[in-house]
Amino acid sequence: ISIICFTVNYACILCIAVQCMFDTTSLCPEACNCNDMDVFCSNSGLTYVPQILGTQLNRLDLQYNVISSIQPRSFESLKKLKELYLGHNRISFLVNQSFSGLSNLLYLDLNKNQLSSVQRDAFNGLVNLRKLRLSGNDVSYLPSGLFSDLKMLELLYLEDNRISSLSRNVFKGLGNLRELYLSRNNVTILSGDVFKHLRSLSDIQLDDNAITRIWNGNFLTLSELKTLSLSNNVITEIDSGAFNGLSKLKVLNVDGNRISAIGKQFLSRSLHLEEIDLSGNQIGTVEESALDGLRFLTVLKLNNNNLRYLNPGVFKTNLQLSILDLHDNPWHCNCGIIDLKNWLKSSSDRILTTFVKCSIPEKLKGMYL
């Protein structure tokens, strides 16, 4: 405590300035390391959230402990906390008001716990949160409105859970969200307007789920989206208007699915696309107008499909195309493939070497065009 005396109108006023910074000698929890603004309690064998009195605390690290639950208002005294790390514990549920009082929190990490239940108001009060990690848990259901208080959230990580469905208002309030990670879950169906609240979204990862179909309008409101990844699902059908609304899309990954054909004007509303990965499907047909208008397309992967023929007219408007992957298809090297051969030869100055290996007839099997 420091005491300062000064005179105003011949009066001496004593001003007591109480030290506000974290006192590492008197307030630091046992088994933790502390400095003025940060408390580190990782790998300390903690089974509960310790009482911490540093009102000016900036960062609290409780990772790699055996904490199994968070009581309501456990962090209420930490009004100025900016970062809270709770990853790699054994937390199995989050109740309402779990993070009450943390209105200045910017980053919350709950990665690699055992979360299976999250109550609807668990994140209430986190009005300035920018980044939330919930990946690597056992969450199967997200209540509608769960994130409605997180109006400043920009990054949301939900990978490696057991989420099987997404309710229509689950993302309500996330108007500032830029990146959404949902890979390696059990999602089977995308309801028509599930992403309607995510108008600022630029990147969505939906890889390694069990999605069977992309419906017309699924992404209609995502006008800012630049990357859409749907790799390694079980998609068999993509509606003709499935990608309508994606006017700024640059990267589309639909590899590792069960798509058998690419229809007319497949991506007619996504004219800024630069990379498309359709490898590892069952594609046997690509309509001539499928890629019309994609003037900025530079990378197209059609390898590991079921292509026997391919009309080079498909690429007539793709004048920036420089990487075209066609290997591991069962090409029929007869008169019907001559146009493709000639086009590849005439485009060799701008397209990197493209391997087309013959499967039929037998006398040409294993030979390249």
Side-chain angles (χ1 to χ4, degrees):
I1 297 174
S2 58
I3 301 177
I4 304 170
C5 183
F6 58 92
T7 304
V8 178
N9 294 329
Y10 305 104
C12 182
I13 302 174
L14 292 179
C15 300
I16 301 177
V18 180
Q19 181 182 7
C20 293
M21 303 298 283
F22 194 86
D23 188 335
T24 59
T25 59
S26 61
L27 299 178
C28 189
E30 187 177 353
C32 299
N33 294 311
C34 307
N35 60 35
D36 285 343
M37 303 292 284
D38 306 319
V39 175
F40 302 94
C41 305
S42 58
N43 283 299
S44 299
L46 294 173
T47 59
Y48 59 89
V49 176
Q51 185 179 13
I52 298 172
L53 302 175
T55 57
Q56 298 295 311
L57 200 63
N58 180 69
R59 176 178 179 180
L60 174 57
D61 188 344
L62 293 165
Q63 295 181 100
Y64 295 96
N65 283 290
V66 287
I67 299 169
S68 59
S69 64
I70 298 175
Q71 299 303 314
R73 300 179 177 84
S74 291
F75 307 102
E76 200 163 41
S77 65
L78 308 179
K79 303 293 186 184
K80 296 190 177 180
L81 193 69
K82 297 289 193 298
E83 301 175 17
L84 176 56
Y85 298 84
L86 285 160
H88 298 271
N89 277 281
R90 299 179 183 176
I91 302 166
S92 59
F93 61 90
L94 292 176
V95 299
N96 294 338
Q97 308 300 322
S98 288
F99 304 101
S100 176
L102 298 181
S103 60
N104 288 299
L105 196 70
L106 301 177
Y107 177 51
L108 175 58
D109 186 356
L110 287 155
N111 175 52
K112 296 287 185 180
N113 276 277
Q114 299 171 9
L115 283 171
S116 58
S117 174
V118 182
Q119 292 189 2
R120 185 185 183 279
D121 296 328
F123 300 120
N124 275 19
L126 301 179
V127 294
N128 280 301
L129 197 68
R130 301 299 201 276
K131 185 175 182 179
L132 174 59
R133 297 189 72 99
L134 286 165
S135 47
N137 282 284
D138 293 316
V139 178
S140 58
Y141 173 70
L142 299 170
S144 288
L146 174 63
F147 307 112
S148 60
D149 236 19
L150 311 186
K151 292 179 170 48
M152 301 302 292
L153 196 69
E154 296 178 355
L155 307 171
L156 177 56
Y157 298 85
L158 293 165
E159 319 102 303
D160 297 295
N161 278 281
R162 296 188 297 110
I163 301 166
S164 57
S165 62
L166 299 168
S167 58
R168 62 179 304 184
N169 286 316
V170 68
F171 300 121
K172 184 178 181 180
L174 297 182
N176 276 327
L177 196 72
R178 293 188 291 105
E179 299 177 17
L180 174 60
Y181 298 91
L182 273 162
S183 296
R184 295 178 297 282
N185 277 282
N186 300 321
V187 178
T188 57
I189 297 175
L190 298 176
S191 63
D193 57 357
V194 66
F195 302 119
K196 65 181 178 181
H197 300 288
L198 306 178
R199 296 184 181 274
S200 299
L201 200 66
S202 64
D203 189 335
I204 183 168
Q205 305 286 327
L206 286 158
D207 304 332
D208 296 286
N209 278 278
I211 300 167
T212 58
R213 183 174 180 176
I214 305 301
W215 299 85
N216 188 3
N218 272 160
F219 309 109
L220 189 60
T221 59
L222 302 183
S223 59
E224 298 298 316
L225 198 69
K226 293 180 175 62
T227 300
L228 172 59
S229 193
L230 292 156
S231 304
N232 301 316
N233 280 274
V234 288
I235 299 168
T236 58
E237 189 172 354
I238 298 177
D239 286 3
S240 60
F243 300 117
N244 285 0
L246 303 182
S247 58
K248 295 183 180 179
L249 193 66
K250 291 187 176 182
V251 178
L252 174 64
N253 298 322
V254 202
D255 52 299
N257 282 281
R258 300 178 185 177
I259 302 164
S260 59
I262 303 300
K264 297 178 180 179
Q265 297 182 323
F266 173 55
L267 292 158
S268 60
R269 304 291 180 87
S270 302
L271 301 181
H272 288 87
L273 266 165
E274 297 175 3
E275 300 180 22
I276 303 174
D277 190 348
L278 289 162
S279 62
N281 278 280
Q282 300 168 12
I283 298 168
T285 304
V286 180
E287 294 287 347
E288 186 174 347
S289 63
L291 305 177
D292 275 6
L294 303 186
R295 296 183 294 110
F296 303 103
L297 188 65
T298 57
V299 178
L300 176 61
K301 297 180 181 180
L302 282 164
N303 53 293
N304 296 92
N305 275 288
N306 196 33
L307 290 169
R308 293 170 172 82
Y309 304 100
L310 184 60
N311 184 344
V314 167
F315 312 116
K316 61 182 179 291
T317 63
N318 313 136
L319 302 181
Q320 300 296 319
L321 189 63
S322 59
I323 298 175
L324 175 61
D325 196 339
L326 297 173
H327 78 271
D328 287 332
N329 279 285
W331 297 106
H332 287 196
C333 293
N334 51 31
C335 295
I337 206 169
I338 291 176
D339 286 345
L340 178 61
K341 179 181 179 179
N342 291 336
W343 179 81
L344 287 172
K345 185 177 180 179
S346 66
S347 304
S348 60
D349 58 330
R350 64 179 176 87
I351 295 181
L352 297 178
T353 303
T354 301
F355 296 101
V356 176
K357 184 190 288 187
C358 299
S359 293
I360 292 176
E362 188 63 30
K363 65 180 180 180
L364 296 178
K365 187 174 183 179
M367 297 181 65
Y368 292 93
L369 283 186

